[in-house]
Amino acid sequence: MGHAFIRSWQLRAAVVVGVTVTCVVFTGHASAAIFTSNFGATVCANDTTNQQGSCTFTGNGSANFAGKFIDFSTFNGFCQAQASDTPDEPCGLFGLNFSNETGKVTASIAFDASASDLDLCVVRGAGQNPFDTSNVVGCSTGQGATETVTFTVNCTDTHFDVQVLPIDISFFTSPINPFPFTGSTVASSVTTCIAGQGNPPPGGQSAAGGHKVTGGGKTSQSPTTPPSANFNVNVMETTAGFKGKTSISDNTGCRFRSSEIDAVSFHDESKSADIFGKGFFLNDQNTIVGFHATVQDNGQGANTSPPGDIYTIDKCNGGGVVVDGNVTYHIP
């Protein structure tokens, strides 16, 4: 994926490139943007073979990254997509991944403006035609030592490329003395989507008013294995909206508790419900993340043959089959 800038730097670049080719023997390139730290509902990884870094966000979180440029002699105004550009060259690229979430993300970079001019762009998707500009969600093209882009993640978005563009790099930059930059990405107000819509969806996703799901006990990965988590759920639909709480505590020490219920989809035929909301891990109560829990009342209670009652949640070990306790689906 790439795009072009028509700016005064292009003429300046042509002059500097000409000097670089005749006087310097190394090939210009960027050292890929590699993540250096992450916080909150963020899981990051570096592909050291392809010199690429990326992070996956499941809620509010942040990540820092860093990279460096040798020179910009290979830059012609276009950045390739991270998926097809290995290693990152000529731009620095950092990947952001999402799955069924919506929210706001701010990406920023910092560098020494006395020795360079870097721009920052964010592009939706991966593997697009390098000349396609329709997926550029934002660019920052200032003259200072920082660049910042804030953009919205939609429910259908799965990947973004953060692109660091080497507009102007000092002639004296070399493999021995590369030009560094640092960056950060912060995801906020992230919520889980329902059926491709925002959270909560327009008009809610429930059946007739007055539904409720209640229960508690222990879950396991199967009816025949020992319990691995405790759970509790008490969620209802009222004329004022959805209310209640749910929580899980597993045998690894992970503890998650809801702080609000945004939407519930009640399914009378299967006596099940999908619960969407926000909550926090008890070891990080200042970070609010989205969650999706499912419950099903199969009428048997605990210690029965499959399927048994079900409680699952996309946090901690995820819950499973209720092996000690019960789930009850209340139809008004």
Side-chain angles (χ1 to χ4, degrees):
M1 169 59 221
H3 50 276
F5 286 91
I6 307 301
R7 294 178 43 170
S8 61
W9 68 263
Q10 289 181 313
L11 179 59
R12 183 170 72 247
V15 175
V16 176
V17 168
V19 175
T20 302
V21 170
T22 58
C23 299
V24 186
V25 296
F26 57 83
T27 301
H29 67 278
S31 177
I34 301 299
F35 100 90
T36 56
S37 59
N38 58 285
F39 307 92
T42 311
V43 177
C44 301
N46 288 325
D47 183 339
T48 56
T49 300
N50 295 321
Q51 301 179 34
Q52 294 182 339
S54 63
C55 291
T56 298
F57 293 82
T58 57
N60 294 340
S62 62
N64 297 319
F65 60 89
K68 56 184 178 292
F69 287 97
I70 303 303
D71 72 64
F72 75 153
S73 62
T74 61
F75 185 59
N76 63 354
F78 297 96
C79 295
Q80 300 298 317
Q82 186 186 41
S84 58
D85 186 16
T86 56
D88 289 355
E89 191 174 307
C91 300
L93 301 172
F94 192 71
L96 307 179
N97 301 305
F98 297 85
S99 177
N100 201 44
E101 288 96 21
T102 181
K104 294 287 186 182
V105 175
T106 297
S108 61
I109 56 172
F111 52 91
D112 181 2
S114 67
S116 73
D117 180 15
L118 303 183
D119 282 350
L120 178 67
C121 287
V122 178
V123 179
R124 175 183 286 110
Q128 298 91 350
N129 184 304
F131 299 96
D132 175 17
T133 62
S134 62
N135 288 300
V136 178
V137 297
C139 289
S140 179
T141 59
Q143 299 297 321
T146 61
E147 304 286 358
T148 300
V149 174
T150 298
F151 61 98
T152 299
V153 177
N154 298 314
C155 291
T156 56
D157 291 329
T158 58
H159 181 83
F160 294 86
D161 280 355
V162 176
Q163 303 180 339
V164 182
L165 292 76
I167 303 304
D168 183 14
I169 301 296
S170 169
F171 173 77
F172 297 101
T173 298
S174 70
I176 299 175
N177 185 31
F179 182 82
F181 64 87
T182 59
S184 69
T185 56
V186 179
S188 60
S189 303
V190 177
T191 58
T192 304
C193 302
I194 304 175
Q197 303 295 321
N199 186 11
Q205 290 250 318
S206 66
H211 284 75
K212 181 192 297 187
V213 286
T214 60
K218 300 180 183 297
T219 61
S220 179
Q221 301 304 307
S222 74
T224 59
T225 56
S228 56
N230 295 330
F231 82 97
N232 185 275
V233 60
N234 182 13
V235 173
M236 65 196 74
E237 182 185 35
T238 73
T239 56
F242 301 103
K243 296 183 177 180
K245 292 182 179 179
T246 188
S247 64
I248 186 171
S249 174
D250 70 23
N251 57 4
T252 69
C254 178
R255 300 174 65 192
F256 180 81
R257 182 180 301 166
S258 69
S259 57
E260 63 180 89
I261 305 300
D262 293 325
V264 185
S265 178
F266 292 98
H267 314 288
D268 290 352
E269 184 176 348
S270 59
K271 292 186 177 181
S272 63
D274 289 279
I275 305 166
F276 299 85
K278 302 180 187 69
F280 54 88
F281 293 95
L282 266 67
N283 65 346
D284 186 13
Q285 298 186 33
N286 293 324
T287 300
I288 303 299
V289 300
F291 75 87
H292 175 197
T294 61
V295 295
Q296 185 168 15
D297 176 6
N298 285 304
Q300 302 112 330
N303 298 315
T304 62
S305 60
D309 288 347
I310 302 293
Y311 175 88
T312 66
I313 189 169
D314 57 356
K315 298 294 179 285
C316 295
N317 72 358
V321 179
V322 178
V323 294
D324 184 5
N326 195 37
V327 168
T328 303
Y329 185 92
H330 305 263
I331 300 177

